Amino acid sequence: MTDDPHDLVWESDREPGDHEPRTGLPEPGAPTHDPDSRLHADDWSDVPWLLDPALPGDGGLPRVPTRPLRERDDVLDLLLRLVGPERAGPPALWFVLLDADDRCLPVVLPLAEVPLTASPGVAAHVMHVLASVLDRDAPGGSVLVGLVRASGGDRGTFETSWAPVLRDAADEHGARIRAVAAIGASRARVIEW
């Protein structure tokens, strides 16, 4: 027995043939590519949140609409449902990808605890990644941006700092921003369309 309360330490005094610690991980140095092994380092099929659809009440993200999002109210409603109680949290940026027909892709990227003043480096990196996803999976698609902070929901210093920097980065990397919404704990609105 070990003093480790989580049983994460490999116990060298196990019986021969008992090759797996209680964590489910293989013995140190054991190959992970063995087809007979219970654990495959690159096998994500056992991770239920990757394959299982979100169900109401399961704590997952809400289902996204399948119809095109062509109205400001539709965009704002989607972002509000996705952000949920995080509206009252620290400053964050939320990104949702749309295809060329303004339908949601299954891609939502929240960046939590971002600085109140825009970072061109962060904006460039995010837009580079999102542009590559759109190029590969949804040519002609676009990005919805949610600028989230507890006291936000309109044009404030946070919103007027991040919105133009994100637009510049999107233009530089070939991504199109469809809309930008300001989301706060008690108010929200689309500030760029």
Side-chain angles (χ1 to χ4, degrees), residues 12-193:
S12 59
D13 60 343
R14 288 191 171 197
E15 297 294 322
D18 190 7
H19 296 290
E20 257 185 72
R22 285 181 238 168
T23 62
L25 297 174
E27 180 178 2
T32 58
H33 62 278
D34 178 11
D36 295 327
S37 174
R38 281 189 354 186
L39 178 72
H40 299 285
D42 61 349
D43 185 4
W44 288 93
S45 63
D46 293 333
V47 180
W49 52 266
L50 284 177
L51 300 176
D52 297 346
L55 299 173
D58 73 353
L61 291 174
R63 293 185 187 275
V64 295
T66 56
R67 71 187 188 305
L69 300 176
R70 298 214 171 102
E71 303 294 326
R72 290 174 185 244
D73 289 344
D74 294 336
V75 166
L76 190 58
D77 181 58
L78 170 67
L79 286 168
L80 289 173
R81 285 188 295 132
L82 290 172
V83 173
E86 298 297 315
R87 293 172 67 163
L93 305 175
W94 284 67
F95 303 92
V96 178
L97 298 185
L98 303 177
D99 67 12
D101 296 321
D102 294 329
R103 287 187 173 90
C104 289
L105 295 176
V107 178
V108 176
L109 175 65
L111 296 180
E113 298 183 25
V114 297
L116 289 172
T117 303
S119 166
V122 169
H125 181 72
V126 168
M127 286 304 165
H128 169 75
V129 170
L130 295 178
S132 67
V133 171
L134 288 171
D135 285 345
R136 185 187 67 231
D137 296 329
S142 60
V143 181
L144 299 178
V145 178
L147 305 172
V148 181
R149 65 186 174 105
S151 61
D154 208 335
R155 290 185 186 273
T157 305
F158 177 72
E159 294 80 9
T160 57
S161 174
W162 276 102
V165 171
L166 289 168
R167 265 207 200 274
D168 289 346
D171 291 345
E172 180 181 328
H173 292 284
R176 181 173 62 95
I177 293 182
R178 176 76 171 96
V180 178
I183 300 171
S186 60
R187 61 184 176 172
R189 74 182 190 107
V190 174
I191 60 172
E192 291 186 17
W193 185 253

